[in-house]
Amino acid sequence: MGMVASFQRVIAVFMKELVQMRRDRLTFAMMFGIPIVQLILFGYAINTDPKRLPAALLAEENTPIVRTLATALETSDYYRIILQTDDPRESSDLLARGEVAFVVSIPSGFTRGLIRGERPQILIEADASDPSASSGAIGQASSILNQALRHELTGQLAHLQSSPSPFDLVVHSKYNPEGITSYNIVPGLLGVILTMTLVMITGMAMTREAERGTMENLLAMPAAPSEVMIGKIMPYVGVGAAQTLVILIAADVLFGVPFAGSLWLLLLGVTIFVIANLAIGFTFSTVAQSQMQAMQLTFFFFLPSLLLSGFMFPFRGMPYWAQVIGEAFPLTHFLRLVRGVMLKDTSFAQLQAPLLAMTLFTAIVMTIALLRYRRTLD
Amino acid sequence: MSADLAIDVRGLVKKFGKKTAVNGVDIAMPRGQVWGFLGPNGSGKTTTIRMICGLLRATEGEGKTLGYDIRRDANEIKLRTGYMTQKFSFWTDMTIRENIEFVARLYRLEDSRLRVDETLEKLGLTDRQHQLAGDLSGGWKQRMALAAVTMHRPRLLLLDEPTAGVDPQARRDFWDEIHHLSLEGMTVLVSTHYMDEAERCDRIVYLANGQKVAEGTVPEIITRSGLVTFRGEGQGVRRLAERLKGRPGLDHVAYFGSALHVSGGNAAIIQSAIADEAAHDVEWNEVRPSLEDAFIAMMAEAGQDNRVHS
Ligand SMILES: Nc1ncnc2c1ncn2[C@@H]1O[C@H](COP(=O)(O)OP(=O)(O)OP(=O)(O)O)[C@@H](O)[C@H]1O
Ligand SMILES: [Mg+2]
């Protein structure tokens, strides 16, 4: 008897939850949306052994053998040569901006030296600021190149095939020579933590007013939408600044992450990035009906940010479509900036692209927020 | 359109999806008066008030509040009106003082510190100014809200059921304050369900089902209803009520305190009905119909109970 009564009450609560769940469309959508996004991202976009990483070929001579080596790298699936040049400034600029992961240098006189059996050098400079991205390709470099030469060195030159290999491969890991992972992770964490906390906090900003019924009062008083938005965002710019300070100190004291570049440039980037996140959070809060929904939207934004920005997995190792989506997140651009400044001493001129991208993102999102802001209770 | 109208709206319609909440309401309210806004639950009082102060966009209709267009000049209207919402909508996680200060700053009041101090003093909340607004009792919340929405000396005050859930003494005090504000030159529109409050208004507007069904002074409305009311007092009224209800010619039979009011359009019919149910322990007298009698009759005349429960 008692059991039956209890069970009936359980059913009553169960039915009530079902009804409420059905009413809350956004939550319902998220329950399916989040797993699907996760599946696609983990299943397709993420690649822990990245292939087809962009590389620049700095070739000071252009002989058939050099062309063979270039083709071999290209067809190996590990390298994708996006630029061939004889100007070292051009190639190292690409490396500094992070547009290529490698610069493969073949000096002039390479072919002649090779034929004479002098074991000339091939230099691979790798961007080791993200150690996991470059290691696979570097490991394969020697065998790819040797393989290619084996086909080329026939007849009179066949004797060169004997080991040791006919050239001397020198790998130069730049920006993080020891390949310490935390050097890459900790600056990235700055971006991740700022995204997570700031989007969430401002996501609640308007929803809380709506949920508690104070929205009506706020709307009845003379404050323009932009005034409310800026007023609500401002305190969290301070929060973002405090978080940045804590993380930078921890990066130095706890992890010994070097700081190669300009602090001012970093602060400029952080400021734009913080505002971008606050703006997206505010926009969410004009969309969400409840604080719960604001949380879910935050998560829905945060998850792909984390996975597609190059924080968890090498950006250049993702399929092209995933990179395109990744470009839409401010975290992607912030990571380039923060890693560039801290590890590579990248200059302002070289960081214009990420700065512009984050500014553009902020402008678009703020416009949406202001358009969505309800001036009336309708 | 007259310049001395505080509210001058015509044909206001508000639809929420398919539902029509307000259906063609006209209000022309002169400055300086106190008007009552009555009507059953869901009749559209709150919705109308929100359209008047620019918080909701009217689906149809037009008009001016304090001379400003309700569609285009919502900001001007907001600067000059005080709107007290039906549900307490101040910040419960801020102290009384913090709430008042916030309002003072939003309206950019001069000497805001002084004004805040004054307001708290007048309210009698100086001692409790650092208490959270959410911890105030219902009556005090309403008083605080009134103080907050009048701090910028609005020319028009819109009060949406300001005394719901407030004890009788506090209600009286609240109304004294409303009359005081009116003497200072504010125009006040108050929605209420209390008849005694309605009787304190210069004029009342009665809504039912989103439409204005009556407007006038209290005596006008009572006279216009054409009602005759008999009041029965004594031990036996309880017994009689059931039997009288539903008899033809009796528009309504309702308790008024412990007495029974029987109203209808024709005195002779009522008298004969009472005579039929003659009882030695009930004494009948003809009385002036009350406003409540008039409203109940008006609703009955509209053919149905128009209340919308939501
Ligand atoms: N935002 C809204 N969305 C949908 N329907 C609404 C909305 N606001 C009000 N309504 C409906 O409009 C009608 C009028 O509501 P309103 O709140 O104006 O009535 P009221 O006269 O103030 O009632 P009460 O005396 O209970 O406060 C009701 O049926 C209500 O359900
Ligand atoms: Mg109402």
Side-chain angles (χ1 to χ4, degrees), chain A residues 84-106:
Chain A
Q84 179 167 352
T85 178
D86 55 6
D87 181 356
R89 276 174 313 190
E90 207 178 341
S91 58
S92 58
D93 184 51
L94 282 185
L95 193 66
R97 282 193 277 148
E99 297 203 358
V100 296
F102 308 98
V103 174
V104 180
S105 307
I106 300 181

Side-chain angles (χ1 to χ4, degrees), chain B residues 46 86 160-161:
Chain B
T46 301
Q86 180 170 357
D160 197 356
E161 294 191 33

Side-chain angles (χ1 to χ4, degrees), chain B residues 231-253:
Chain B
R231 177 183 173 93
E233 280 170 294
Q235 292 281 313
V237 291
R238 265 170 217 292
R239 236 181 326 107
L240 287 185
E242 290 306 316
R243 294 218 290 268
L244 286 169
K245 261 180 201 164
R247 274 185 74 129
L250 304 190
D251 286 350
H252 88 271
V253 176

Side-chain angles (χ1 to χ4, degrees), chain A residues 377, chain B residues 16 19-22 39-48 50 56 86 160-161 193 207 308 310:
Chain A
L377 284 169
Chain B
F16 294 108
K19 183 180 169 47
T20 307
V22 173
N41 292 139
S43 55
K45 303 181 295 296
T46 301
T47 308
T48 305
R50 284 173 175 166
L56 278 180
Q86 180 170 357
D160 197 356
E161 294 191 33
H193 289 295
L207 290 192
V308 177
S310 57

